[in-house]
Every structure is written in C-alpha cells, then in structure tokens.
Amino acid sequence: MKKSFKLAALLVAAAISVAVVSCQKDNETTEENVVAKSANNESKELLNRIYAFQELKDNVNSGKRSGESMTLEELRDDIDLTFNYEHSQHAVPFANATLDTFYVSMPKVDVSGNVSATEAVATYNAFEAELESLMALVDDDMNLAKNFSIRFPETGTRSGNDIEVVFARGIGTEKIPFYEPFEEGDDYYWGMGLGLCDVEGPFNVSTDAAQELSKLFKFTPDEEHEGMTYLLYRLEYVKYSALDYYDAYNDHVYFEDTVVPCADSWLFYKVGKCEEEPCIHHDEMNCYYNKIYQNFIPVTAPLHFGPTTNAPYIECLIDDEYTMGVLTLGGQPSQELRIHFACASYGNVLYIDSSEEDGNNTPVN
C-alpha cells in the first residue's frame, strides 16, 4: 500500500500506543494512556484529511461543482499527505538512489488568500502529470519514486513562483545486497592489534577488527585500469565517527544508519569499563563491512564525496582508538572509550598509459 512517510510513522506509534493501553487497567489513567490517545487521534485525523481530499478530488474530476475553498497552508498539507500516500514507494528498499526535482505552477489565489476546490484539484493533477512525465523519460532503471518534499513559495502570499518538489528516485530491490566477506572463525578483537578472539598459544595473528576491515577498503584500480600506473591528486582526508563527542582530531560525526539493523551503529564504539576487550564476531564484522560500504562506495552514498572539495571517495582506513579519562560524553565524564573511526580519503585518480605510442606516457582520467 502506498503510504505517507510521516503518516506511516504515526500509525506505528499509534499501534505501539494501543499495545501500551491494553496493558493498563480499565480504570487507570496514566501518562501512557494520554500519549496513546493523542497518537491515535493524530493518525486518525491525518487519515481523515487524506480521505477527504481524495473524495474532493474524485468529485471535481468527475465534473461535480464544489463551493469549497482552502488556505494555501491547508492545500500544502493536503497535497503533501495525499501525494506521499498515493505515490511514495518508501516501503520498497532502494539499492541505489538519487534526488530529482520537478516544478508545478502555483494555483490561483483569491483576494482573501484562499484557493478554490477546482484550483486545488487542478494543482494536484498537475503534480501527477509532472511526475508521470519525468518518470517516462527515465533511462537509468531508477524508476521508483519516494519521499516527496513539497515546498510552496512564501506560503500564504500571492507569490507567482512555482512549487518545488524534491524526491528520491532509485532502483527498487526486495532486499538490499548484503555481502559476507567474513566467515565463521573470523572473530577479531575490536582493536589494539589483539588478533583473533579465543585463540590460545603464541600463534595469534597480530591484527584486529579495524585492520581487517581496512584491508577490504584499500584502493585498487578497476578492471579497465588494472596494471596501470596511477597518480592521486587534490586529496582530502576526513575522519568520521558514529559518536558525538568533543575531540580535537575528530572531523565529522555521521549518525544515520542507512543499511541493516545488525549492530548498534554503523561504526563500532563502546563506552565504559570492560572486564575483557570487546570481540567482534564474524557476523557483526560483516554488518560493519556492509554499513561502511553503503555509506561510501555507491556514487549516491551519503559520504561518497568529500565535504570540502566534493572530490570522489578513494579509500577508507578504519582506525581504532582507546581513550581513558579525557572525554566528555553528553556532559558526563567517561573513564573509557573504545571506538573505530572511518578515515576516508577523497580525491582524483590519474592513470598513466604505458603504451608509449609517441614515446611519452599518456595520462588517462
């Protein structure tokens, strides 16, 4: 079913709230009951607005006259709710995605700042026509659309600017690809070169989870340029963490988890005292690998381009850090922190063709 992203979240909240209410005694008034009723009422109200606008749309499109009118703010909300409900494919996982934009002319506004039902429906019809026209020209297989952001210019005024609609367009898959480079037994301590977990004797390999992940994100030329000499230039280094804390050498914090819910965050960290050093088992190693991959490797990944130079991603080093007694987390002192950083390099690659047809090496971009 096509549903609004905002609406779906409210419906989930409402369902959870109903479960909470069912656990209370009939004659008991609690804060949970109040929250539950509020969430239920809001989700019902939003659904009713969608149904009412759909009915209005059907009536006007079928030729029935209507004397109704609405403010621009009401129209914006009705279109936002209904268009996402009817056209957003947010429930379908996208293997790849990009942002796209289309524009719709503003409806006519009367002297009181209201829009007639006829103009409101005509505007909605224009939304559908513009989306259909844009998607008909798609030739990159990214033909699913979701999460429409609708921006009215200067809401409440008689501005003649167009309405801007930004949305995600991508390739739908039943399941986001999940790679498994680590097998059973590939269980590594989080860092500090402590090697494999639970290995007895002097033969433990001097490696760790951070080093093993780094090996998989080392830059190598693609098949087209395999074996060629290359140069890297205009480089930018950025250090990312999944934990927000003050530290002079940490450049960026990125929270959003865009892949799979198989770990607490997309990069490892553990706050507090540990009786034993944390071991990251092979299934969790695969989880971190996929999270890092999806955040950096695809061209449309959120961290694929450098924040300053906008140069493309080259490679990523996973660095491990242990700190004791010098950090402040959420305003509270922390005695211990074990953390992974994703140290990404961005820049340009210049390949050099060694065929020497004219006696000189020829640069290849």
Side-chain angles (χ1 to χ4, degrees):
M1 180 184 292
K2 302 172 183 177
K3 296 179 181 177
S4 162
F5 180 79
K6 177 181 177 183
L7 179 64
L10 285 166
L11 292 178
V12 170
I16 295 173
S17 301
V18 171
V20 172
V21 172
S22 66
C23 296
Q24 307 296 328
K25 295 180 180 179
D26 292 339
N27 61 350
E28 185 178 12
T29 301
T30 65
E31 183 178 348
E32 286 82 0
N33 276 322
V34 174
V35 172
K37 292 178 180 178
S38 176
N40 261 328
N41 290 338
E42 186 172 4
S43 61
K44 289 178 180 178
E45 180 183 347
L46 293 176
L47 271 175
N48 287 335
R49 288 191 65 171
I50 292 172
Y51 297 153
F53 190 80
Q54 287 177 325
E55 183 179 2
L56 174 66
K57 179 163 59 79
D58 291 341
N59 289 337
V60 173
N61 285 336
S62 63
K64 295 180 181 178
R65 292 187 177 184
S66 173
E68 296 182 46
S69 65
M70 62 189 72
T71 66
L72 277 177
E73 188 65 25
E74 290 171 334
L75 176 62
R76 194 208 72 81
D77 288 342
D78 286 346
I79 288 182
D80 192 323
L81 283 167
T82 309
F83 202 77
N84 274 291
Y85 183 83
E86 293 186 340
H87 296 285
S88 176
Q89 300 291 318
H90 68 270
V92 180
F94 279 16
N96 210 353
T98 186
L99 292 181
D100 215 330
T101 307
F102 65 84
Y103 296 89
V104 174
S105 297
M106 281 287 293
K108 294 179 182 179
V109 183
D110 64 24
V111 293
S112 300
N114 295 325
V115 177
S116 69
T118 302
E119 286 291 334
V121 172
T123 301
Y124 189 90
N125 293 341
F127 269 65
E128 293 186 318
E130 288 295 328
L131 177 63
E132 183 178 358
S133 177
L134 187 153
M135 299 303 289
L137 298 175
V138 169
D139 58 2
D140 55 9
D141 294 327
M142 300 170 69
N143 55 7
L144 290 181
K146 67 176 180 179
N147 300 350
F148 296 90
S149 171
I150 299 170
R151 182 181 178 184
F152 273 55
E154 301 179 36
T155 302
T157 69
R158 301 181 66 182
S159 171
N161 297 327
D162 290 340
I163 303 167
E164 181 184 65
V165 183
V166 181
F167 66 100
R169 180 170 60 81
I171 300 172
T173 62
E174 292 186 0
K175 185 177 181 181
I176 295 176
F178 187 86
Y179 305 103
E180 298 182 322
F182 297 99
E183 301 177 351
E184 187 171 353
D186 293 334
D187 308 324
Y188 295 92
Y189 285 107
W190 73 278
M192 301 194 294
L194 296 176
L196 288 160
C197 308
D198 304 323
V199 176
E200 297 180 359
F203 306 108
N204 200 1
V205 180
S206 180
T207 186
D208 53 45
Q211 293 183 44
E212 293 301 312
L213 286 168
S214 295
K215 292 176 184 178
L216 300 179
F217 292 99
K218 181 178 176 59
F219 171 76
T220 55
D222 54 23
E223 291 185 10
E224 180 183 356
H225 302 104
E226 188 174 357
M228 296 178 65
T229 302
Y230 62 89
L231 297 173
L232 305 178
Y233 65 102
R234 295 180 183 174
L235 293 175
E236 177 184 10
Y237 292 95
V238 183
K239 201 169 187 176
Y240 296 93
S241 77
L243 178 65
D244 186 13
Y245 72 95
Y246 176 76
D247 190 271
Y249 54 77
N250 180 30
D251 292 330
H252 290 77
V253 178
Y254 182 73
F255 290 108
E256 186 177 1
D257 184 356
T258 59
V259 196
V260 285
C262 52
D264 293 336
S265 64
W266 73 278
L267 276 177
F268 167 85
Y269 69 83
K270 185 169 183 61
V271 180
K273 185 175 179 59
C274 296
E275 296 298 328
E276 297 181 358
E277 292 300 324
C279 177
I280 303 180
H281 295 275
H282 71 280
D283 52 351
E284 194 173 356
M285 289 286 290
N286 284 325
C287 183
Y288 285 125
Y289 170 80
N290 280 273
K291 288 170 176 284
I292 297 166
Y293 184 99
Q294 291 292 336
N295 280 334
F296 285 104
I297 305 301
V299 175
T300 55
L303 306 179
H304 183 78
F305 294 98
T308 303
T309 62
N310 204 36
Y313 164 90
I314 295 177
E315 67 178 6
C316 184
L317 166 69
I318 307 303
D319 187 23
D320 61 284
E321 297 278 355
Y322 169 78
T323 310
M324 182 172 180
V326 297
L327 299 180
T328 298
L329 296 158
Q332 300 297 321
S334 172
Q335 292 184 347
E336 296 185 16
L337 173 67
R338 294 163 175 82
I339 189 168
H340 282 177
F341 293 104
C343 306
S345 60
Y346 300 92
N348 298 279
V349 182
L350 180 67
Y351 293 97
I352 301 175
D353 187 354
S354 58
S355 60
E356 296 189 17
E357 294 180 358
D358 57 359
N360 296 310
N361 289 341
T362 303
V364 178
N365 290 321

